[in-house]
Amino acid sequence: MKIGTPKEIFDGEARVAMTPDSAKQLQKLGYDCAIESGAGAAAGFSDDAYADAGVEIIKTPAALWKSVDIVAKVRQPTDTELKRMTGGKTLISFFNPAGNEEGMELAKSKGANVIAMEMVPRISRAQKMDALSSMANIAGYRAVIEAGNNFGRFFTGQITAAGKVPPAKVLVVGAGVAGLAAIGTSTSLGAITLAFDVRPEVAEQVESMGAEFVYLDFEEDQQDGAATGGYAAVSSPEFREAQLAKFRELAPEVDIVITTALIPNREAPELWTEDMVAAMKPGSVIVDLAAEKGGNCKLTVPDEKIVTDNGVTIIGYTDFPSRMASQASTLYATNIRHMMTDLTPEKDGQINHDMEDDVIRGATVTFNHEITFPPPPPKIKAIAAQPKEKPKELTPEEKRALETAAFKAQTKQQVTLLAVGGALLLAVGLVAPASFMQHFIVFVLAVFVGFQVIWNVSHSLHTPLMAVTNAISSIIILGALMQIGSGSWLVVLLAALSVFMAGINIFGGFLVTRRMLAMFQKS
């Protein structure tokens, strides 16, 4: 079978669904590859690069749609493109099935099998095909870059001869894939980053990236993320009011706001109201990543950048991934290639459209002259954070009982060890000469003391303990040096080995300590 990619006809779309590298991988699955001439030019992939990868170059879109069995594209197909589909052909693309009933009916009438990339279920096995996450990651990164381009100050704070420059304060609303990408980019640029999400379980992820999570003094049981496909659920009116009150409190303080809140198949919730915009400082920037669905900001204008009367810039671009076309195309083409891998289990260049497979069934919106949207819930739920069970608090009596039992067990163990050790020493003393026993007892006591000193230290303290081990090694070296002058060659050899091994411990300890300290230095 042949898979082909047409040139995107959506205004301003620079991405392409097949790259030369992904074409090579598709050929390993047994497919022939074709692409419309110039389809990858806007993303930086020339026709010559495709030809070198063994891809057939087809001049017109009509010829491409006619000659291929599988069409892979980025944007939702137009009616003209869908009319070019015939029975048994497969289309893999973003499709917007919830808002594209006419498209589904047309695909159904044509007998085309349509796989919507935004419908890939959010389960572990499907992460490699999750095109929404791939594009959201780019959008979050690019949002910070666009904000910086329109913000009149540094992100990081600086102290210069001309004066002190405070760091920018960035608020990211929504800690999904796009939000986390924005948080990572913002913190890496040195800004003070705040983040909010209706799912408190993401606070740990936010804080691990160096941002501060904004908590609300409001308790509400959120729906499990597994039940909502890994997305945030709709909040109650009371929670929404508490959330807006917190944003009104933050609005005068923040310099940049990046909103990413979007629930699939719904209009974007309004989170940044007109009065919040009015409360922001002149020169502040709002980047609304939900502009395509109406926007999280009341004043957002899709596909435009506006400046309000009080000097706040509001960016409502809907093509953030396309503004990084080469990177976005590479990731999206990889998502397509992984989808084709699942569709071709035998690697024989033939599609096996298994409707029993969770991923394939979830992403399929039309199949064999039938509309299969919406899909049933996947058998494997999206991964959700499990609530942590609080450890049972012990009463003072129970604590004392546990401490007493632990003390008795430790005492019994030590007494047993001493008794066994004493018996062994006596047994050796019955047959060994007195000169040997003197050295042997010193050796046993040294081993016992060293064991007690080292073994009882917590693992997390072993590096700080290096100074103690160096001191012990120094004592070993001194003892060995005193024995090197002995007349016995065996004693000299053992003493030399002791100096060598203890020296490795000392020098190695210093090297390890220096390397660990270097991990905490910025430079």
Side-chain angles (χ1 to χ4, degrees), residues 386-418:
Q386 298 299 322
K388 295 180 180 178
E389 294 184 5
K390 292 184 178 179
K392 180 184 175 183
E393 291 188 6
L394 301 176
T395 62
E397 291 77 13
E398 290 173 329
K399 288 180 181 178
R400 280 196 294 272
L402 286 174
E403 290 172 357
T404 302
F407 178 76
K408 288 181 178 178
Q410 188 177 10
T411 303
K412 182 179 179 182
Q413 182 185 19
Q414 290 180 347
V415 169
T416 303
L417 285 172
L418 289 172

Side-chain angles (χ1 to χ4, degrees), residues 2 54 64 92-93 128 171-172 194 214 222 232 274 278 336 372 388 410 439 514:
K2 184 186 289 187
L64 182 130
I92 304 175
S93 170
K128 60 189 177 182
L171 171 64
V172 179
L194 310 176
V214 176
Q222 289 291 320
E274 193 170 347
I336 294 282
T372 58
K388 295 180 180 178
Q410 188 177 10
H439 293 291
R514 285 181 63 85

Side-chain angles (χ1 to χ4, degrees), residues 6-273:
K7 186 177 181 179
E8 297 296 325
I9 59 176
F10 190 89
D11 286 343
E13 182 55 69
R15 290 172 291 176
V16 64
M18 183 191 295
T19 64
D21 285 341
S22 73
K24 292 177 182 177
Q25 298 300 320
L26 291 170
Q27 289 164 11
K28 290 179 181 178
L29 294 174
Y31 292 101
D32 294 327
C33 297
I35 193 163
E36 183 184 343
S37 179
F45 304 109
S46 66
D47 287 351
D48 289 342
Y50 284 107
D52 291 342
V55 180
E56 180 186 356
I57 310 298
I58 299 178
K59 289 186 177 181
T60 64
L64 182 130
W65 285 78
K66 183 178 180 180
S67 66
V68 301
D69 305 291
I70 307 150
V71 178
K73 66 188 308 292
V74 181
R75 287 281 187 167
Q76 175 182 324
T78 63
D79 288 348
T80 302
E81 289 176 318
L82 282 174
K83 287 175 182 176
R84 290 171 175 160
M85 296 292 289
T86 55
K89 285 192 177 183
T90 299
L91 171 66
I92 304 175
S93 170
F94 284 114
F95 200 80
N96 185 28
N100 190 18
E101 290 186 15
E102 291 182 5
M104 286 193 293
E105 289 291 346
L106 184 53
K108 170 188 171 182
S109 67
K110 289 287 185 178
N113 304 326
V114 176
I115 294 176
M117 289 302 290
E118 67 264 60
M119 293 302 299
V120 171
R122 285 196 162 179
I123 59 177
S124 296
R125 184 171 68 83
Q127 287 180 353
K128 60 189 177 182
M129 310 169 220
D130 190 353
L132 277 180
S133 292
S134 297
M135 299 303 102
N137 182 33
I138 293 174
Y141 171 84
R142 183 70 187 195
V144 178
I145 302 303
E146 291 289 343
N149 189 44
N150 288 273
F151 184 56
R153 294 208 327 263
F154 296 129
F155 266 68
T156 185
Q158 292 190 12
I159 299 176
T160 71
K164 182 179 178 181
V165 179
K169 203 167 190 178
V170 179
L171 171 64
V172 179
V173 181
V177 176
L180 290 174
I183 290 166
T185 309
S186 176
T187 54
S188 67
L189 289 174
I192 297 173
T193 308
L194 310 176
F196 174 83
D197 197 283
V198 298
R199 300 163 295 177
E201 65 267 20
V202 304
E204 187 176 341
Q205 299 176 48
V206 168
E207 289 166 356
S208 70
M209 300 180 75
E212 177 185 343
F213 190 78
V214 176
Y215 290 93
L216 293 184
D217 293 330
F218 187 94
E219 291 188 4
E220 179 178 71
D221 292 332
Q222 289 291 320
Q223 189 175 3
D224 193 327
T228 57
Y231 294 95
V234 179
S235 304
S236 68
E238 295 79 12
F239 184 89
R240 171 178 162 76
E241 288 304 315
Q243 174 181 311
L244 294 179
K246 188 66 177 179
F247 290 163
R248 287 190 179 94
E249 179 186 329
L250 293 172
E253 302 176 14
V254 295
D255 301 300
I256 295 171
V257 177
I258 297 173
T259 62
T260 70
L262 198 60
I263 299 173
N265 305 322
R266 292 178 180 269
E267 287 298 305
E270 183 186 325
L271 301 177
W272 207 260
T273 58

